[in-house]
């Protein structure tokens, strides 16, 4: 898979150990300062517990990091992070042999069996902060809970607290905003909600939240952004699974944010369906500083979209592009172009649509190589007959492997993946990378690749320096950071 730019890892400064020492670890969070460490850190610190935070994308896993730890909790919010955590667990156990190990986040409950076999004692999901606090207090009092393979998932409402980011590396070390004119901005990371009210079958949020979502109070979000602005943030990346799950909440938040910080910009993730349903809100998003919106388009093939239960059609992409263009907001679409239902003709159609909609410059080439992941607990397994198309669960990939009935599709996926990795390593322009993918796709079909219009790729859009994708192989550099 593509080699993401890796920051030089260092060692965190560790406080003197007293009482129950808790170490919160984030293996990887798309290059952003992890809210999911800062939020539980606030709960634990408020209760008087000593907390150390470790971000493996920036910091080394060294002996002094885990010295005296009584509880180690790993945040597994995405596939890549879980793969890295699995690799890191033997060293964590060796460095903290007496610590109670906990895993939390979207990928913890669905991988409960594997994680328990690897030595994880407690597995939490959903709104896990109260249980994590109770676990830390039990360990502190010498009431170490027995290891339990059964995940504890809480979806009740909680009172979110202003995240404590004091134990994390500075924002300037994380992903930054890249503007078309070459300028860059320091990026903060906030969450205004958790979960999602939709049931897209391939989404990792669905097995845990089951169509529910929880808002973070506006006061907490604003307090969090204030402290990040004070720390140098010039742009906020909202990490909600869908920023418009609660459109009224989102609207109030961005207006309050803009009144206080009129120069601050932001980006968010929003479904195609929500962009269309809330078209009247889009100009307000732009007026309050929204530069671009990430949307999980996944495919332009209606058959594939039906299998994924995305609740939008291929034609809806055109409508969303027009709405955002009219509002002055860039679209950063993401895709899962290789699925068991993908045809070579369908893949070429996707490439043609990107050209027709002038979105080539808006799509990181890696997005054109992504292969459908089928993790444990996925709602894809509920599709009649789909399970028969899969191999046995493979812990190495944290999923069920599948092969396409047309071997040419798998061959093309591997070729595009290899080329995207090579091109990223060389720093090639997106247009040049796309041209080669265009040629590879037509070669797979056995047809000549038509010439493309010189101005058919669109223009560069604001984007984060870390490409948005979450189901890639951990890089060798990441694994060496342990």
């Amino acid at each position: 898979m593509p080699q993401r730019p890796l920051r030089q890892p260092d060692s965190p400064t560790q406080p003197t150990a007293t009482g129950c020492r808790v170490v919160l670890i984030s293996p990887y969070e798309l290059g952003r300062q992890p809210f999911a460490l800062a939020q539980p850190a606030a709960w634990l610190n408020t209760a008087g517990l000593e907390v150390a935070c470790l971000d493996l994308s920036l910091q080394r896993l060294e002996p002094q990091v885990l010295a005296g730890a009584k509880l180690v909790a790993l945040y597994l919010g995405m596939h890549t992070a879980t793969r890295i955590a699995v690799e890191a667990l033997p060293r964590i156990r060796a460095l903290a042999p007496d610590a109670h190990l906990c895993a939390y986040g979207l990928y913890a409950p669905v991988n409960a069996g594997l994680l328990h076999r690897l030595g994880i004692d407690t597995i939490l999901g959903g709104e896990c902060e109260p249980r994590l606090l109770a676990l830390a207090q039990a360990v502190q009092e010498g009431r170490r809970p027995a290891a339990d393979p059964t995940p504890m998932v809480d979806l009740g409402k909680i009172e979110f607290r202003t995240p404590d980011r004091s134990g994390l590396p500075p924002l300037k070390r994380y992903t930054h905003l890249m503007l078309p004119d070459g300028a860059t901005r320091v990026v903060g990371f906030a969450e205004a909600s958790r979960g999602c009210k939709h049931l897209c079958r391939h989404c990792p949020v669905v097995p845990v939240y089951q169509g529910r979502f929880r808002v973070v109070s506006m006061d907490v979000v604003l307090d969090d952004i204030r402290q990040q602005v004070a720390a140098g943030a010039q742009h906020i990346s909202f990490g909600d699974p869908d920023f418009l799950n609660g459109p009224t909440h989102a609207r109030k938040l961005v207006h309050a944010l803009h009144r206080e910080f009129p120069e601050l910009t932001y980006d968010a993730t929003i479904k195609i369906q929500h962009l269309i349903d809330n078209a009247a809100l889009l100009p307000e998003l732009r007026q309050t500083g929204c530069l671009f919106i990430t949307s999980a388009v996944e495919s332009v093939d209606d058959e594939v979209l039906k299998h994924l239960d995305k609740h939008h059609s291929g034609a809806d992409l055109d409508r969303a592009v027009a709405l955002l263009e009219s509002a002055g907001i860039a679209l950063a679409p993401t895709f899962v172009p290789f699925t068991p239902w993908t045809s070579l003709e369908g893949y070429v159609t996707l490439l043609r649509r990107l050209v027709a909609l002038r979105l080539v410059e808006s799509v990181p080439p890696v997005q054109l190589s992504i292969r459908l992941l089928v993790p444990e607990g996925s709602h894809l397994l509920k599709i009649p007959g789909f399970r028969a198309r899969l191999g046995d669960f493979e812990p190495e990939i944290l999923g069920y492997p599948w092969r396409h009935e047309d071997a040419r599709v798998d061959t093309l996926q591997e070729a595009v993946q290899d080329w995207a990795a090579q091109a990223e390593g060389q720093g090639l322009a997106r247009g040049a990378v796309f041209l080669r993918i265009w040629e590879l796709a037509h070669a797979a079909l056995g047809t000549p690749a038509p010439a493309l219009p010189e101005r058919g790729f669109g223009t560069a859009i604001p984007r984060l320096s870390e490409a948005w994708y979450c189901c890639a192989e951990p890089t060798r550099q990441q694994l060496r950071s342990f």
Side-chain angles (χ1 to χ4, degrees):
M1 291 298 293
Q3 301 290 302
R4 290 180 290 276
L6 187 75
R7 310 152 192 84
Q8 182 62 36
D10 56 19
S11 298
T13 300
Q14 297 301 314
T16 303
T18 57
C20 175
R21 187 159 177 277
V22 182
V23 179
L24 303 175
I25 299 178
S26 172
Y28 178 63
E29 180 68 353
L30 297 170
R32 302 176 295 193
Q33 192 186 66
F35 173 91
L37 258 58
Q39 179 62 209
W43 284 66
L44 297 169
N45 277 322
T46 300
L49 296 164
E50 181 192 358
V51 183
C53 293
L54 176 64
D55 187 337
L56 290 184
S57 72
L58 292 174
Q59 298 167 306
R60 295 185 186 280
L61 191 58
E62 295 178 342
Q64 66 268 30
V65 177
L66 295 171
K70 299 299 183 183
L71 172 63
V72 176
L74 294 102
Y75 168 59
L76 309 181
M78 53 187 292
H79 179 260
T80 305
T82 309
R83 293 287 302 277
I84 295 171
V86 167
E87 294 290 335
L89 273 171
R91 180 162 172 78
I92 292 172
R93 175 54 78 195
L95 294 175
D98 298 324
H100 187 94
L101 298 187
C102 171
Y104 66 100
L106 293 176
Y107 273 80
V110 296
N111 289 293
L114 172 63
L115 294 171
H116 182 67
R117 291 193 296 273
L118 294 174
I120 296 294
D121 300 305
T122 299
I123 297 160
L124 306 177
E127 312 316 302
C128 62
E129 284 81 6
R131 283 191 182 270
L132 186 58
L133 173 57
L135 177 62
Q137 291 172 329
V139 171
Q140 182 182 40
E141 296 167 4
R143 298 182 290 106
R144 177 168 174 159
D148 187 352
T150 305
M152 294 179 284
V153 178
D154 286 332
L155 297 179
K157 294 182 179 180
I158 66 171
E159 293 294 330
F160 288 94
R161 303 176 184 181
T162 301
D164 184 346
R165 299 178 178 274
S166 61
L168 291 165
L171 290 178
K172 64 182 180 181
R173 297 282 309 282
Y174 288 92
T175 186
H176 53 275
L177 178 71
M178 302 172 65
L179 297 171
D181 63 3
T184 63
R185 294 180 185 172
V186 176
V187 173
F189 177 40
E191 292 190 7
S193 66
R194 282 181 178 169
C196 185
K197 64 183 181 182
H198 294 275
L199 298 171
C200 304
R201 289 193 177 103
H202 63 305
C203 178
V205 178
V206 175
V208 175
Y209 279 88
Q210 301 290 333
R212 281 164 282 197
F213 76 101
R214 295 284 178 257
V215 300
V216 182
S217 72
M218 192 166 74
D219 288 344
V220 169
V221 181
L222 290 174
D223 280 346
D224 187 23
I225 292 175
R226 287 185 190 107
Q227 67 177 344
Q228 293 186 75
V229 170
Q234 302 162 298
H235 176 91
I236 298 296
S237 185
F238 284 103
D240 310 41
D242 194 297
F243 193 60
L244 291 186
N245 267 321
T248 300
H249 175 61
R251 183 175 182 271
K252 290 180 179 178
L253 173 61
V254 297
H255 279 283
L257 182 63
H258 186 63
R259 283 194 298 271
E260 187 167 351
F261 302 107
E263 302 302 317
L264 191 69
T265 56
Y266 65 91
D267 69 86
T269 298
I270 302 175
K271 282 175 63 70
I272 292 294
Q273 176 188 348
H274 283 169
L275 292 174
I276 294 172
D277 291 346
N278 296 280
L281 181 56
L282 299 182
E284 293 185 54
L285 296 184
R286 181 66 190 95
Q287 291 162 11
T288 55
C290 184
L291 293 184
F292 68 93
I293 286 171
T294 299
S295 192
V297 178
E298 315 303 36
S299 177
V300 297
D301 185 315
D302 286 344
E303 179 72 11
V304 174
L305 291 169
K306 181 179 179 180
H307 283 301
L308 300 182
D309 202 16
K310 285 297 298 178
H311 285 275
H312 70 253
S313 68
D316 285 337
L317 172 60
D318 301 53
R319 187 176 177 190
V321 168
L323 288 171
L324 288 173
E325 185 174 299
S326 176
I329 301 173
L331 174 65
T334 65
F335 297 94
V336 182
F338 289 97
T339 74
W341 311 285
T342 299
S343 66
L344 291 178
E345 293 81 3
Y347 187 78
V348 170
T349 296
L350 169 62
L351 301 184
R352 288 174 179 162
R353 288 286 290 283
L354 294 181
V355 173
L357 294 172
R358 296 173 59 81
L359 288 174
V360 172
E361 288 289 344
S362 304
V363 180
V366 65
Q367 285 294 330
L368 301 178
S369 75
I370 298 296
R371 183 181 178 87
L372 181 68
L373 177 69
V374 187
E376 194 70 81
S378 171
H379 276 217
L380 289 166
L381 299 171
K382 296 185 177 184
I383 298 175
F386 183 66
R387 182 64 182 84
R389 305 181 69 163
L390 308 175
D392 294 333
F393 183 83
E394 292 186 3
E396 294 79 11
I397 65 170
L398 295 179
Y400 292 92
W402 56 269
R403 303 300 298 176
H404 200 283
E405 59 186 11
D406 183 349
R408 297 177 301 166
V409 175
D410 289 336
T411 299
L412 175 61
Q413 188 272 329
E414 292 171 0
V416 174
Q417 176 178 295
D418 290 345
W419 167 238
Q422 178 184 343
E424 185 171 329
Q426 296 176 5
L428 298 182
R430 289 181 176 181
V433 182
F434 182 87
L435 280 173
R436 179 57 181 156
I437 294 173
W438 177 259
E439 293 169 353
L440 289 170
H442 284 85
L445 267 177
T447 61
L452 291 172
E454 291 184 7
R455 298 183 179 275
F457 290 173
T459 57
I461 67 171
R463 58 188 176 93
L464 300 183
S465 57
E466 192 98 354
W468 194 99
Y469 65 107
C470 62
C471 53
E473 291 280 337
T475 68
R476 291 188 182 90
Q477 289 174 305
Q478 285 173 315
L479 298 183
R480 281 200 299 270
S481 70
F482 303 151

